[in-house]
Amino acid sequence: VTDFHTAVIGAGSAGLTVAVGLAGFGKKVALIEKKHIGGDCTNVGCVPSKTLIHLASHMVEYNGAENKFSSAEILAKVRERRDHLREEETTWIKGVKNITVFEGEATFVNSTTLSLKLSASEQTITAQHIVIASGSSPIVVDVPGLPPGRILTNESLFDVTQPPNHLVILGGGIIGCEMAFAFRKLGSEVTIVQRAPRLLDRLEPEVSDLIQTRCQEVGMNVSLNATAHSFEASTKALRLEQQGKSVTVPNVENVLMAVGRKPNLEFGLEKAGVSFNEKGVPTTQSHKSNVPTIYAIGDVSLTSAFTHTANAQGRRVVQKIALPFLPQGKEAVYPSAVFTDPEVAYVGEPLEKLKKRYHPELIRTLRFELKKTDRGYTQGLEHGFILIHALRLTGRILSATIVAPNASEMISLLTLAVNKRISLYQLANIVFPYPVLSEAIKKLSDQFVFATLPKLPQELLSYLRLRWTRG
Ligand SMILES: Cc1cc2nc3c(=O)[nH]c(=O)nc-3n(C[C@H](O)[C@H](O)[C@H](O)COP(=O)(O)OP(=O)(O)OC[C@H]3O[C@@H](n4cnc5c(N)ncnc54)[C@H](O)[C@@H]3O)c2cc1C
């Protein structure tokens, strides 16, 4: 007999989903959180960053025009909204039937027992199932000479009260690029230092090109193929190493670390016999670790790095534990969004990766510029496109990328198409309200249909020849 049916380590997106889901099935749940309810998303991730992006976009024009609020007021409002949500979530979760919230740090004693370090006491609890949802932390790289007071991470960024005069962002991935646009709008000089040859290098190259262009248009500095070498405190100069050359970035006030995340694993996993590596806890499709009663989901797993994917995995664990005999398919293909200006949203793999699974000639790539849609014209849109990779002949969509002002809202139709195998033939028949940017999906689908149907016999032969041949 255990104290709890399930114990959940971490009350972020992943942990909250499991705790609330299982409690809804009448299971007795212990939810343990050592910092703040809501985890990174509510406190130092999605919520403050998206609030900042929204307020900065609506209150400030790049480098100029009259502002409704000062940058300092915007930063204060970000904290206000974040704190309000944190308090709301904390009050709510403490009132959920069947959940006991422990505010403290959990450590494994063995595979069914946790030791809890609470503010004024220690306690041991046992549980039939344990879900590790401990999240991740920012990686901080060593830059010789850089004083700790000049270093920012996502954990301290939203506590700054004034935008830095000159913010250097190490890392040109999602977090780095999003914060670059936001702080530029607040009036900071922004320099992105990216080790890879392009920004957002895990996405399609077309996206990197467009975002690079936008960075230049709004007056940011971007150093590609570059790493931070050292900092000279007296002159506030950051020295970069860029393809064998030394480059100096002057007058640097703060350096934001956005080079990647590391899983939070320091709570005695070895005592429970749970295997892990530097990337996190490997799991099965049902999110079980090598110990079948211990699960790992969200950022601490190897397969999730977003709030919506943490939530999706949490829901799968709830189903697995509460309804173990219900069949559970593979994980869906999850979409993701990057809240730059314009936004980027994608689902499925970029072309480079697809070519490793399919013969390159089997993949049809279609691109439509949004300014060629009527809505793009009426909006005077300059940048933006939809890119789809589909199988020739069948029109099955393998992956899609949208760059548009509201790409994050437009990607769901294509996510559905990828997961439910809705083909380009079917998308060509969808009627969109007029005028919308999503009409580009129909135009793309038409392109495919008109390129395929008139040559059907050749397409069929090519498809059969290439289908089982890898690239
Ligand atoms: C700046 C930034 C912006 C982001 N923006 C987005 C976005 O727009 N959209 C999106 O989908 N994702 C975004 N993300 C990613 C998203 O925040 C994470 O993927 C998500 O929060 C992961 O959820 P999680 O539950 O796995 O972990 P977390 O939210 O990190 O929660 C883990 C919790 O576990 C607690 N914990 C750890 N160890 C212990 C222990 N031993 N005992 C008790 N408690 C413990 C931690 O304190 C933490 O609260 C962003 C991330 C950052 C940094």
Side-chain angles (χ1 to χ4, degrees), residues 10 13-14 33-34 39-40 46 50 106 133-135 154 298-299 305-308:
S13 321
E33 173 53 59
K34 69 174 180 182
D40 274 16
C46 333
K50 263 80 262 182
S134 53
N154 69 296
D299 279 13
F306 298 96
T307 287
H308 52 282

Side-chain angles (χ1 to χ4, degrees), residues 345-362:
Y346 56 97
V347 58
E349 293 177 321
L351 184 59
E352 262 328 288
K353 283 201 174 167
L354 290 176
K355 280 184 184 166
K356 295 192 176 120
R357 289 202 285 128
Y358 300 96
H359 193 289
E361 286 176 41
L362 197 61

Side-chain angles (χ1 to χ4, degrees), residues 146-163:
L146 183 63
R150 293 201 182 276
I151 299 175
L152 293 171
T153 67
N154 69 296
E155 291 175 355
S156 51
L157 182 66
F158 305 106
D159 290 327
V160 300
T161 51
Q162 288 285 350

Side-chain angles (χ1 to χ4, degrees), residues 9-15 32-36 38-41 44-46 49-50 104-106 133-136 154 158 175 178 261 264 267 297-300 305-308 310 339:
I9 303 173
S13 321
I32 309 121
E33 173 53 59
K34 69 174 180 182
K35 284 193 203 151
H36 297 294
D40 274 16
C41 181
V44 291
C46 333
S49 65
K50 263 80 262 182
E105 185 167 0
S134 53
S136 63
N154 69 296
F158 305 106
I175 294 172
E178 286 185 354
R261 316 269 312 161
N264 296 329
F267 40 91
I297 51 169
D299 279 13
V300 75
F306 298 96
T307 287
H308 52 282
F339 296 85

